[in-house]
Amino acid sequence: MTTDVDPRRAARHARAATSEIPEAAGHAHAHGGPVPPAPWRTRLVLAVLVLPAIVATGLGLWQLWPSGGEVPERIPVVVEGSELVEATVVRVLEGEEAGDASWPTIEDATVGNVEIRLDDGTTAGMQAEPRFELGPGDEVVALYIGDFAETETPYVFMEYQRDVPFALLAAAYVLVVLLVARWRGLAALVGLAVAFAVFIGFTFPALLSGQDAMAVALVTSSAVMLAVLYLAHGLTARTTVALLGTLAGLALTAGIGAWATGAAHITGTSEEIATNLPTIAPAVDLQGIALCGLVLAGMGVLNDVTITQASAVWELRALAPLAPRRVLFARAMRIGRDHIASTVYTIAFAYVGAALPLLLTVWLLDQTPLMTLTSGEIAEEIVRTLVGSIGLVLAIPITTAIAAMTVPRAPAAERARRESTSMGSGPSEEDTVQERP
């Protein structure tokens, strides 16, 4: 999930920060205005800095893109003679009427514990485990098994139908984003679609074909960030600053993650479904996939903090056009420290919510807290959280420094006019703006 921050939110933080600048805040509010466009020299330097990343991303996509023969064939969901059908639960049978509620076998598949109605109006028996708690009216997906065609229960419960609630949630999400963020929200949605196209078209096939997972992670994250940031925030110097900070944070995350996965023996086999992957795709590297997932998981939060920091510096400049760059950096870092404090526990809370059943299961085990935290099921997520947080924290001062050095100052003539005006009313901004701890 890439999370974008509206620059207006950064502006509110910026106004709070600059309001504490004595005298300068008053001058800034009186004379401040939109930050002028970055001069051509600044744009040239930014282009020189970001161009290698663009070239490296393109070369990486070309080098790592797997050929058709390298990618394992996709596994059919059902075997020949079987098919998935949609049905509606009519009633759930109980007691002797249900018979044997176990999954059907060749020897005994004569009764079912659920009666379903198919799309053509006919009814049939379906086996379903009691834990699914089906009831009349439930829309389900059933597997028709050809070998049981002559029995009373040729169907087995596979899944609930979720098309309608998913479609409603997606429509509500798109509508809310468009109503609140308008064209920028639409651009962000397009960027999200591009990101998933990269995942499906490049990342997944490359990992399954055995390509170097670290390289795949860096190329994927760079390509996604190039698309998402420029689509959502425009082709501006401020966006390029955020991109540079994001790429630096991702590089740090990848480097620290590579060390951490080896030192902590993160094998990528903590989940049962992952252990089955090598039997389907023998070329995969589970530890490498864990590292790749660690880097990709940090993209959204990194994008959040870097665009916020870049926007904060730009808004501070608009409010205090004559403030020294070191003061802009110091004030923006005060905003960054607040963001760090909130984001660190946001990441932790997100993990607790996603892995709550696992955490409850591990909590029931009679072992010390240290053994719990370092067990395979928990260790991988702790490493992912800690490494992602380190990359996030380091990206904030990097982005802020680049933004403070890059944000344009007021034109020379305008600075001279303001300085001459301030001489009659008190010290100038250059004199009164002092860096506070």
Side-chain angles (χ1 to χ4, degrees):
M1 162 187 86
T2 302
T3 305
D4 295 324
V5 174
D6 193 321
R8 286 175 290 186
R9 189 176 79 179
R12 290 195 294 271
H13 288 290
R15 284 193 290 270
T18 51
S19 65
E20 300 179 9
I21 302 177
E23 297 295 328
H27 286 291
H29 283 289
H31 304 291
V35 179
W40 69 268
R41 292 185 182 87
T42 300
R43 294 197 297 268
L44 179 61
V45 171
L46 290 175
V48 169
L49 290 175
V50 80
L51 186 60
I54 297 175
V55 173
T57 301
L59 291 176
L61 288 170
W62 175 74
Q63 182 69 28
L64 298 172
W65 201 286
S67 62
E70 297 175 337
V71 182
E73 294 184 3
R74 302 185 69 179
I75 303 172
V77 177
V78 297
V79 298
E80 186 177 354
S82 302
E83 63 175 329
L84 294 174
V85 298
E86 295 181 350
T88 303
V89 175
V90 176
R91 59 175 180 151
V92 178
L93 309 180
E94 298 179 357
E96 295 182 359
E97 187 179 19
D100 183 8
S102 62
W103 292 85
T105 63
I106 296 294
E107 294 79 11
D108 182 15
T110 58
V111 292
N113 59 339
V114 179
E115 182 181 354
I116 58 174
R117 179 180 293 108
L118 306 176
D119 289 341
D120 60 5
T122 61
T123 59
M126 179 183 74
Q127 290 284 2
E129 293 183 5
R131 63 187 177 91
F132 292 113
E133 298 183 354
L134 297 172
D138 286 345
E139 303 289 334
V140 300
V141 177
L143 174 65
Y144 171 77
I145 303 177
D147 291 339
F148 302 152
E150 301 302 324
T151 70
E152 296 181 12
T153 56
Y155 294 92
V156 173
F157 173 80
M158 292 296 293
E159 194 56 87
Y160 293 96
Q161 293 185 43
R162 298 186 176 94
D163 300 358
V164 173
F166 272 31
L168 291 175
L169 283 174
Y173 171 68
V174 172
L175 181 62
V176 169
V177 169
L178 294 180
L179 287 176
V180 176
R182 300 183 181 177
W183 288 110
R184 180 161 293 181
L186 177 61
L189 291 173
V190 173
L192 184 62
V194 172
F196 275 97
V198 173
F199 295 151
I200 295 172
F202 167 71
T203 309
F204 299 164
L207 291 174
L208 290 172
S209 63
Q211 299 290 352
D212 183 81
M214 171 72 85
V216 172
L218 291 175
V219 170
T220 298
S221 56
S222 178
V224 168
M225 287 296 101
L226 282 166
V228 168
L229 281 171
Y230 283 125
L231 279 172
H233 304 284
L235 192 63
T236 64
R238 175 163 48 183
T239 306
T240 302
V241 167
L243 174 64
L244 291 172
T246 302
L247 294 178
L250 287 170
L252 290 169
T253 300
I256 299 170
W259 171 83
T261 53
H265 300 286
I266 302 300
T267 60
T269 58
S270 59
E271 297 182 5
E272 182 179 354
I273 192 170
T275 59
N276 296 328
L277 190 57
T279 62
I280 306 170
V284 299
D285 174 15
L286 292 181
Q287 187 176 42
I289 290 176
L291 173 61
C292 182
L294 186 151
V295 176
L296 297 183
M299 283 197 302
V301 183
L302 273 173
N303 172 46
D304 181 2
V305 298
T306 56
I307 198 65
T308 298
Q309 289 306 110
S311 295
V313 172
W314 252 255
E315 296 299 332
L316 285 166
R317 171 59 80 203
L319 294 171
L322 304 182
R325 298 186 184 277
R326 63 180 178 81
V327 175
L328 290 181
F329 174 81
R331 289 291 180 260
M333 277 304 300
R334 293 180 65 187
I335 300 172
R337 284 190 285 271
D338 287 340
H339 208 164
I340 289 172
S342 63
T343 306
V344 164
Y345 56 69
T346 298
I347 296 175
F349 293 165
Y351 167 65
V352 171
L356 190 56
L358 172 62
L359 293 175
L360 292 175
T361 303
V362 174
W363 182 84
L364 288 171
L365 300 178
D366 186 13
Q367 57 185 3
T368 64
L370 181 61
M371 290 181 62
T372 299
L373 294 176
T374 56
S375 61
E377 296 84 357
I378 304 294
E380 185 173 331
E381 295 300 334
I382 290 180
V383 168
R384 180 181 290 115
T385 300
L386 293 178
V387 172
S389 298
I390 292 172
L392 179 151
V393 171
L394 294 178
I396 286 180
I398 293 173
T399 306
T400 307
I402 298 173
M405 292 186 295
T406 303
V407 63
R409 299 188 64 180
E414 181 69 10
R415 293 202 306 270
R417 183 185 69 79
R418 292 175 181 173
E419 289 171 356
S420 63
T421 301
S422 65
M423 289 178 63
S425 58
S428 69
E429 291 178 58
E430 296 282 1
D431 296 328
T432 58
V433 176
Q434 299 295 326
E435 181 178 1
R436 289 174 50 191

